[in-house]
């Protein structure tokens, strides 16, 4: 899939109490958004920061073709993402996209479970949307530290059933995603997952124990997004692979976990 460098204009930025934001952008020159797969990401240049010479990789949350807009769910983790979360209408960003591979949507699964933890819920929405377009209704399992981490749950309910877990019990089942019945006694034929590494490793154990095929989007640190800097290398069963180019999505059988 051909990569493009495009200047984007901010349409809106909706901020949440947990230091995240939903950022909606459109190409500044009015061009049509390129094709993008669920699970791919973008790399954003931040021109206004003092220490933001590296682009920031952000997962694709959604693509709205009717408004020609790209939607990103951003977690404030430093200066660059802080600037993104404070964006105002009209702010401009140069973005390299689309990057990496994506989640497969043609696995033949009829009862997929989409698991997201924290900001790792981001790629699950677009994946669920694309699966629904193919006539497959997914089930979502979203986890967070508290209810404030799951304020976007209604977006997911447009495409399938949504179950929640929170560490403090403020929404859904108290505990981690693996404490929910959908993973305690899984009734699914495929799992797609993104979130903190400990969470994903716990899901790996469930998937292997029940013989369920599974795909994971890794969150390794990235710098260039093009496989040149080697910051994001993962040691897989087929050798060291760059998460930004060979991933971020890997099948369970690729990983040494």
């Amino acid at each position: 899939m051909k990569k493009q460098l495009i200047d984007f204009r901010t349409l809106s930025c909706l901020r949440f109490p947990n230091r995240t934001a939903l950022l909606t952008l459109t190409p500044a020159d009015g061009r049509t958004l390129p094709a993008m797969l669920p699970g791919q990401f973008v790399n954003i240049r931040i021109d206004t920061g003092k220490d933001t010479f590296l682009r920031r990789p952000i997962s694709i949350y959604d693509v709205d073709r009717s408004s020609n807009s790209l939607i990103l769910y951003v977690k404030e983790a430093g200066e660059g993402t802080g600037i993104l979360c404070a964006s105002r209408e009209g702010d401009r960003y140069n973005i390299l996209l689309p990057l990496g591979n994506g989640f497969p949507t043609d696995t033949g699964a009829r009862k997929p479970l989409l698991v997201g933890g924290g900001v790792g819920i981001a790629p699950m929405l677009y994946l669920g949307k694309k699966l629904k377009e193919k006539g497959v209704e997914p089930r979502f399992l979203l986890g967070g530290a508290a209810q404030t981490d799951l304020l976007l749950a209604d977006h997911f309910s447009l495409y399938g059933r949504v179950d929640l877990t929170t560490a403090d019990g403020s929404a859904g089942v108290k505990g981690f995603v693996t404490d929910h019945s959908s993973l305690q006694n899984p009734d699914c034929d495929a799992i797609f997952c993104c979130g903190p590494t400990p969470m994903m490793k716990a899901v790996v154990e469930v998937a292997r124990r029940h013989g369920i095929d599974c795909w994971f989007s890794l969150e390794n640190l990235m710098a260039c997004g093009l496989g040149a800097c080697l910051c994001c290398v993962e040691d897989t069963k087929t050798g060291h692979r760059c998460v930004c180019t060979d991933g971020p999505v890997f099948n369970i059988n690729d990983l040494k976990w």
Side-chain angles (χ1 to χ4, degrees):
M1 190 171 287
K2 185 178 180 180
K3 302 174 182 63
Q4 298 187 36
L5 269 175
I6 302 176
D7 287 327
F8 278 77
R9 173 174 55 87
T10 301
L11 296 177
S12 65
C13 182
L14 180 61
R15 298 200 65 170
F16 300 105
N18 64 340
R19 299 178 68 186
T20 63
L22 202 61
L23 185 60
T24 302
L25 310 109
T26 192
D29 61 4
R31 77 175 76 182
T32 301
L33 285 170
M36 287 174 269
L37 301 174
Q40 289 188 304
F41 66 99
V42 305
N43 240 8
I44 307 179
R45 192 179 73 209
I46 311 292
D47 294 326
T48 55
K50 295 180 180 179
D51 301 302
T52 56
F53 57 94
L54 294 176
R55 290 175 181 264
R56 289 336 192 237
I58 306 292
S59 294
I60 295 169
Y61 180 74
D62 197 8
V63 179
D64 186 345
R65 295 289 171 185
S66 64
S67 62
N68 196 40
S69 58
L70 169 70
I71 300 98
L72 306 174
Y73 182 48
V74 183
K75 173 74 172 180
E76 183 178 345
E79 183 182 9
T81 48
I83 289 170
L84 291 175
C85 287
S87 296
R88 298 181 179 182
E89 182 179 353
D91 286 351
R92 297 200 176 202
Y93 300 101
N94 182 263
I95 300 180
L96 177 63
L97 78 167
L99 297 175
N101 63 0
F103 286 107
T105 57
D106 56 356
T107 65
R110 302 306 300 174
K111 295 193 294 182
L113 177 65
L114 280 54
V115 184
V119 77
I121 69 172
M124 296 296 115
L125 183 83
Y126 192 37
L127 174 59
K129 180 178 182 178
K130 301 308 283 187
L131 288 172
K132 189 69 177 291
E133 288 175 358
K134 288 179 173 287
V136 177
E137 184 166 314
R139 180 175 178 176
F140 298 96
L141 176 58
L142 309 179
Q147 187 267 344
T148 51
D149 293 323
L150 301 171
L151 297 177
L152 299 176
D154 286 349
H155 292 187
F156 294 82
S157 64
L158 295 173
Y159 308 114
R161 173 177 168 175
V162 179
D163 295 307
L164 306 176
T165 69
T166 50
D168 67 356
S170 55
V173 172
K174 184 176 182 178
F176 303 113
V177 293
T178 46
D179 294 317
H180 195 275
S181 60
S182 58
L183 282 177
Q184 287 284 315
N185 300 289
D187 180 28
C188 59
D189 53 5
I191 297 175
F192 302 86
C193 184
C194 183
T197 298
M199 184 205 83
M200 291 196 291
K201 287 185 175 181
V203 175
V204 164
E205 293 181 8
V206 172
R208 287 190 170 137
R209 186 164 62 247
H210 293 274
I212 302 170
D213 210 2
C214 197
W215 287 264
F216 294 86
S217 178
L218 304 190
E219 295 188 322
N220 296 31
L221 291 175
M222 301 181 195
C224 70
L226 300 171
C229 69
L230 305 181
C231 288
C232 63
V233 167
E234 179 76 17
D235 185 15
T236 72
K237 291 181 179 179
T238 55
H240 290 85
R241 298 169 68 182
C242 289
V243 170
C244 66
T245 52
D246 298 319
V249 177
F250 292 90
N251 185 270
I252 188 174
N253 296 319
D254 296 325
L255 301 175
K256 289 185 174 181
W257 293 355

